[in-house]
Amino acid sequence: MAGRRLMTLLLLLAAFLAVASGSKPSAKFELIHGGQAPWDEVARKDQERTAFICSHARRRATEAAARGGAKRKAKAAPADEAFAMPLSSGAYTGTGQYFVRFRVGTPARPFLLVADTGSDLTWVKCHRHDHDAPAPGYGAPASNDSSSWLSAAASSSHARVFLPDRSRTWAPIPCSSDTCTASLPFSLAACPTPGGPCAYDYRYKDGSAARGTVGTDSATIALSGRAATAKKQQRQAKLRGVVLGCTTSYTGESFLASDGVLSLGYSNISFASRAAARFGGRFSYCLVDHLAPRNATSYLTFGPNPAVSSPPSKTACGGGSPAAAAPGPGARQTPLLLDHRMRPFYAVTVNGISVDGELLKIPRLVWDVEKGGGAILDSGTSLTVLVSPAYRAVVAALSKKLAGLPRVTMDPFDYCYNWTSPSTGEDLAMAVPELAVHFAGSARLQPPAKSYVIDAAPGVKCIGLQEGDWPGVSVIGNILQQEHLWEFDLKNRRLRFKRSRCTQ
């Protein structure tokens, strides 16, 4: 999905998020990375996703005048409370995604979802009692070709299916309701009976699709913070009214390795926006090395994360409201652009890119949303995609520094090198030029060399960037984000980040 999953989408959702528990904490989700797919396949999916992002931004621009962004009110959780979910690389499944462990329903059932900052609909593979048999994508191939089902069989994801009829907290959204017709922009118009479920047909640029009905249910979270840790056992709570898609049919290979998608995009109906509104207005994640083993785990956290931001300070004499959180030790901070033209994606202002300290000559309009450019962070795209003027400048500078290495050909990359020593047969101990992305506010992203000169095959390294169309949006993918802790402060519109090994 991430990478391949971008939506031409037709879907729906809506509802409210609240903590069932009387106290207000924060939470963590564990991030899990899938297995490494062939690079040409990863690149194709990333390009399809980027094409969607650009067309989406243009469509959003034409709708600018129509919307206002009603502000939601939510009770604030205690300042130190949070919740977290385990997060891992999906390399072991052959995908370029990161997976989060998510529990939903009553009683709660565990699912493995793609953590996607480009999605506004959370959905899980689902089977309802009113279906006589599992839909295509559940239990057996829809055709006689079983080759595409190998990865699903290996991961056993097809065995985890949400059964809404067995969840005491599942509530379908009627197709005649205002929620379906007005609040869910991607719901289908068909409504045979007023009490019938609100349906969606969520389509992606690679031809895959997810179809089903939308409702609300409760997610089970594990709280942290003083109130939670004061007790001997970790306290659990329910987030009620989570908008959830019940996908009863899907096509394409995008969803074989996971049970669905966790929406981390900026939207009134996304899980991230609603959970963050309840827990400090922010969420954070740390992406382990994309080739890390299956047991290498980090977390997706909602609420304060002291590793990347310090607690808000009080105003003088104890009066007034607390000031915004400040970056923690070693963390950088830049404005987070929650631009209506880019939603549900998170945009940032890029001032430039440098190689070995030399700022490259890239037209400023490339980074300007007003001029058809801009840049976003996307956990659902693997390889970073730079629009043509930026891509050509960056690869020219990097390849110049690597000119002494023998070139090899490997799709989908333009610049690949034989990194093997002819005398020892081992990797060359050659310095890689330093790449830095300069954000507004003097914040610099200085990724490890392996994030942009990547291991593409044994003894072969490639400049792991892709060229995107101009005009268009540049996408900072999850490989360039790896081994960094990222905090999305939606309340104060700040993005904070710092280097981290991510594993705990």
Side-chain angles (χ1 to χ4, degrees):
M1 121 130 268
R4 17 173 74 206
R5 35 122 307 157
L6 256 134
M7 8 199 238
T8 293
L9 33 138
L10 267 167
L11 31 105
L12 40 356
L13 10 60
F16 300 86
L17 183 97
V19 178
S21 168
S23 65
K24 312 159 189 176
S26 69
K28 275 185 181 176
F29 293 73
E30 205 171 348
L31 286 178
I32 309 155
H33 184 121
Q36 187 55 54
W39 285 114
D40 55 350
E41 177 71 4
V42 170
R44 183 178 70 83
K45 299 298 183 183
D46 286 346
Q47 290 285 5
E48 289 166 346
R49 183 177 177 98
T50 303
F52 166 80
I53 291 170
C54 295
S55 63
H56 178 81
R58 289 191 291 270
R59 180 175 60 80
R60 277 292 194 178
T62 64
E63 299 170 351
R67 300 211 171 143
K71 293 187 178 179
R72 304 179 303 278
K73 290 185 179 179
K75 292 183 179 180
D80 71 323
E81 290 182 322
F83 73 89
M85 298 175 173
L87 182 68
S88 309
S89 165
Y92 66 91
T93 68
T95 72
Q97 305 309 314
Y98 285 80
F99 295 151
V100 63
R101 299 173 194 170
F102 182 71
R103 293 196 297 159
V104 68
T106 307
R109 290 205 59 198
F111 295 95
L112 199 63
L113 306 184
V114 171
D116 188 7
T117 56
S119 278
D120 51 4
L121 173 65
T122 295
W123 63 263
V124 292
K125 295 174 183 177
C126 181
H127 181 54
R128 300 181 60 87
H129 286 170
D130 53 1
H131 289 265
D132 295 330
Y138 298 97
S143 68
N144 293 327
D145 180 11
S146 60
S147 60
S148 64
W149 293 84
L150 294 178
S151 62
S155 66
S156 298
S157 68
H158 61 295
R160 293 186 297 267
V161 177
F162 180 59
L163 303 174
D165 302 292
R166 296 184 185 178
S167 173
R168 297 192 301 271
T169 45
W170 168 260
I173 296 174
C175 60
S176 59
S177 66
D178 289 341
T179 297
C180 183
T181 59
S183 300
L184 305 180
F186 305 115
S187 59
L188 297 179
C191 186
T193 60
C198 186
Y200 62 88
D201 185 351
Y202 204 108
R203 295 181 178 270
Y204 301 89
K205 294 299 282 187
D206 64 352
S208 58
R211 308 174 189 89
T213 58
V214 173
T216 62
D217 211 325
S218 296
T220 299
I221 60 174
L223 304 175
S224 61
R226 285 192 300 270
T229 56
K231 301 183 179 181
K232 292 183 179 180
Q233 293 184 339
Q234 191 174 42
R235 187 158 58 90
Q236 293 189 343
K238 293 275 192 181
L239 292 179
R240 292 178 177 167
V242 174
V243 174
L244 185 68
C246 169
T247 293
T248 52
S249 175
Y250 67 87
T251 55
E253 298 180 357
S254 298
F255 315 121
L256 293 178
S258 70
D259 303 321
V261 178
L262 184 70
S263 57
L264 300 180
Y266 186 64
S267 160
N268 289 342
I269 55 178
S270 76
F271 181 84
S273 294
R274 290 180 177 272
R278 190 69 184 87
F279 293 95
R282 45 188 161 148
F283 72 93
S284 58
Y285 61 68
C286 200
L287 304 181
V288 298
D289 186 317
H290 70 288
L291 296 179
R294 184 173 184 171
N295 61 354
T297 300
S298 59
Y299 287 91
L300 165 65
T301 303
F302 289 87
N305 192 330
V308 72
S309 60
S310 60
S313 59
K314 296 289 184 179
T315 54
C317 303
S321 303
R332 308 294 180 92
Q333 176 175 279
T334 190
L336 183 63
L337 306 181
L338 304 179
D339 193 293
H340 59 271
R341 290 165 294 189
M342 307 297 284
R343 289 186 184 182
F345 302 98
Y346 298 100
V348 289
T349 297
V350 175
N351 287 338
I353 297 178
S354 63
V355 172
D356 278 348
E358 181 179 351
L359 199 62
L360 305 181
K361 294 181 180 179
I362 301 173
R364 294 188 65 84
L365 55 80
V366 161
W367 314 119
D368 191 343
V369 175
E370 302 290 342
K371 304 291 178 57
I376 65 169
L377 278 85
D378 183 23
S379 67
T381 297
S382 297
L383 298 170
T384 290
V385 180
L386 299 176
V387 294
S388 293
Y391 173 82
R392 292 171 184 171
V394 173
V395 296
L398 291 175
S399 61
K400 182 178 180 181
K401 302 281 185 176
L402 301 172
L405 292 167
R407 292 272 299 274
V408 296
T409 301
M410 177 175 285
D411 289 336
F413 305 105
D414 292 331
Y415 291 88
C416 291
Y417 304 90
N418 183 344
W419 217 273
T420 304
S421 168
S423 58
T424 67
E426 298 181 355
D427 280 357
L428 294 169
M430 179 172 181
V432 173
E434 295 183 358
L435 177 75
V437 181
H438 301 256
F439 297 119
S442 301
R444 284 183 300 169
L445 170 62
Q446 297 172 287
K450 64 182 179 181
S451 295
Y452 54 93
V453 178
I454 65 176
D455 292 310
V460 176
K461 293 182 185 288
C462 299
I463 297 178
L465 306 172
Q466 291 287 287
E467 183 174 7
D469 293 335
W470 171 253
V473 178
S474 293
V475 182
I476 299 173
N478 59 41
I479 293 179
L480 206 66
Q481 294 179 48
Q482 70 183 356
E483 294 193 348
H484 278 77
L485 176 59
W486 299 88
E487 181 179 72
F488 296 76
D489 186 341
L490 307 184
K491 181 178 180 181
N492 298 297
R493 301 191 172 216
R494 293 289 184 271
L495 176 71
R496 303 182 187 96
F497 59 94
K498 65 180 292 186
R499 284 288 292 270
S500 173
R501 299 292 295 184
C502 297
T503 54
Q504 297 187 351

